[in-house]
Amino acid sequence: MKRGKPDVKRVIFCLLMFLPLLAVLIALPFLPDEIPAHYGFSGQVDRWGSKYETLYFPVLTLLFGFFMLGMARVAAKQEKDGKNNETICLVTGIVCLALFNGMTGYFLYTDFQMVEDLSQVPLEFNRFICLFLGIVMVVVGNILPKARLNSLLGLRTPWSMANETTWKKSQRFGGLSCIIGGLAMMGVCFWVKGLPCLLYAGGIFTLILVVDVLYTYRIYKKYGTPKA
């Protein structure tokens, strides 16, 4: 009996899910006993802690991974034909897990180097986060229009979920706005640094969200009829 081909997306997902824990476990014996455990808004270390605190983030990464796998399973059950929703959950999870892997690598670097000021790092942390969040938004924006009507993922408002027409138009608009917002975030990370970088990113995300919600209301007014 032939086995089916492994799902490449799931394989990548699981690798990214467990890699931070594996990397930290390998690095743990070589880390200093005391490491920079927390940085303030100024980028200066404001608390030192045990090297075993490096395990916290990989554990959170695992919990996030299991959560997204659960989301993918439930989303798949809400779709009669195809695996669009499941794929969207997995791809979204992959790009988010890639961010968590990058953050784990960043934290290990600052731990080994005993960095007391994040401005000493070649890629400043806030810029790093802003850049990755922008990439996540661009990827999500590209797959969002493929989402089928469901109660878990996508641009979901009472108006976008009124019927298939409002749903599809809302996801297409949300995908485009997500891409634009992601590109704007990526541009910001090359323009400003420090806390203002994250504030700009937060402002861009909030603006995109407000515009998307208003658009779903506008589409509902034009095409909205209760779904069967």
Side-chain angles (χ1 to χ4, degrees), residues 1-11 83 86 90:
M1 181 177 178
K2 293 184 178 180
R3 294 183 179 179
K5 292 183 179 180
D7 188 335
V8 176
K9 291 185 290 296
R10 284 187 176 274
V11 172
K83 295 184 177 182
E86 181 182 15
L90 291 175

Side-chain angles (χ1 to χ4, degrees), residues 130-150:
C130 191
L131 176 63
F132 259 94
L133 287 176
I135 294 173
V136 170
M137 288 188 66
V138 170
V139 173
V140 171
N142 274 282
I143 60 177
L144 189 60
K146 298 179 182 180
R148 303 287 177 84
L149 185 57
N150 70 96

Side-chain angles (χ1 to χ4, degrees), residues 43-100:
Q44 303 287 332
V45 63
D46 57 14
R47 186 176 72 83
W48 296 81
S50 167
K51 65 180 181 180
Y52 294 100
E53 292 188 37
T54 55
L55 290 168
Y56 293 163
F57 197 73
V59 170
L60 288 175
T61 302
L62 281 175
L63 292 176
F64 173 81
F66 285 122
F67 172 77
M68 290 302 295
L69 286 175
M71 286 271 290
R73 178 173 295 183
V74 174
K77 291 180 178 179
Q78 294 186 4
E79 187 175 2
K80 295 180 180 179
D81 300 311
K83 295 184 177 182
N84 286 28
N85 292 345
E86 181 182 15
T87 298
I88 290 172
C89 282
L90 291 175
V91 173
T92 301
I94 286 172
V95 292
C96 289
L97 288 171
L99 169 60
F100 296 159

Side-chain angles (χ1 to χ4, degrees), residues 162-163 225-228:
N163 56 55
T225 55
K227 60 183 178 181

